[in-house]
Amino acid sequence: MERLTKAALATGGAAVLLVSGAGTLALWTDEGLATGTDDTSGTLAVTDGTCGAWTFDGGGAVTEGIVPGDTVVADCALTVGGTGVHLALDDITVSAPTWAETDALTGALEVAVDGATLDGAALTLPLTDPVAVEAASDLVVTVAATFPEASGDHTQALTATLEDVTVQVTQGHLALATP
């Protein structure tokens, strides 16, 4: 019996060595090819627009000139739109404007976004949640120019004629609605 036990152990050990020594036990494998599909990115575009006349931020036309401490605003109308199921606006900013002529007054004015509407609905800036954008939406950005109180005497009797201001919109993403 001892010989049979030894033979059984030797046969089992040899089988283990064969299996482990060979690396892996051969199983059949095969591959299939899945054909891909197109995926297209969306778009975001802002068309050039125009700005209206400067008015005081509290209302009223600028008729006799601005003084340090004043803020004047102008509404700039543009069209924003694009394609994409979850396309939204995440941020609206303006760049430093270009002036017809640069002087101490244009150098002193601080220009920023003061407000905005999208298709007539007021936006709360800065945007805390993305706002959906259609293929073509009317965007009106209120640009504010603040004349700092610390401006010196060298800013008197000058004219600031706005030529351009760049309005930049940043794309946001609307999350999928959960059922």
Side-chain angles (χ1 to χ4, degrees):
M1 182 101 148
E2 187 177 287
R3 206 171 8 157
L4 285 174
T5 305
K6 285 182 182 180
L9 287 172
T11 304
V16 168
L17 286 175
L18 283 174
V19 170
S20 65
T24 60
L25 194 55
L27 299 175
W28 291 353
T29 62
D30 197 5
E31 293 178 355
L33 183 64
T35 303
T37 184
D38 291 341
D39 196 6
T40 304
S41 61
T43 62
L44 175 65
V46 179
T47 60
D48 293 342
T50 59
C51 296
W54 292 109
T55 59
F56 287 104
D57 64 343
V62 178
T63 57
E64 295 184 30
I66 61 175
V67 298
D70 282 340
T71 297
V72 293
V73 296
D75 288 335
C76 302
L78 307 109
T79 301
V80 62
T83 58
V85 176
H86 304 114
L87 182 64
L89 293 182
D90 192 50
D91 195 18
I92 302 169
T93 58
V94 294
S95 71
T98 56
W99 304 95
E101 196 174 304
T102 58
D103 55 32
L105 176 58
T106 60
L109 293 174
E110 298 168 356
V111 178
V113 173
D114 189 53
T117 63
L118 186 65
D119 288 331
L123 300 176
T124 302
L125 299 177
L127 296 172
T128 55
D129 293 315
V131 177
V133 177
E134 301 299 322
S137 296
D138 294 327
L139 177 65
V140 176
V141 176
T142 303
V143 175
T146 302
F147 194 3
E149 288 185 9
S151 299
D153 289 339
H154 63 286
T155 58
Q156 295 183 56
L158 299 172
T159 300
T161 303
L162 180 66
E163 281 189 349
D164 298 309
V165 63
T166 299
V167 176
Q168 180 177 341
V169 297
T170 303
Q171 176 259 326
H173 184 268
L174 291 177
L176 290 172
T178 54

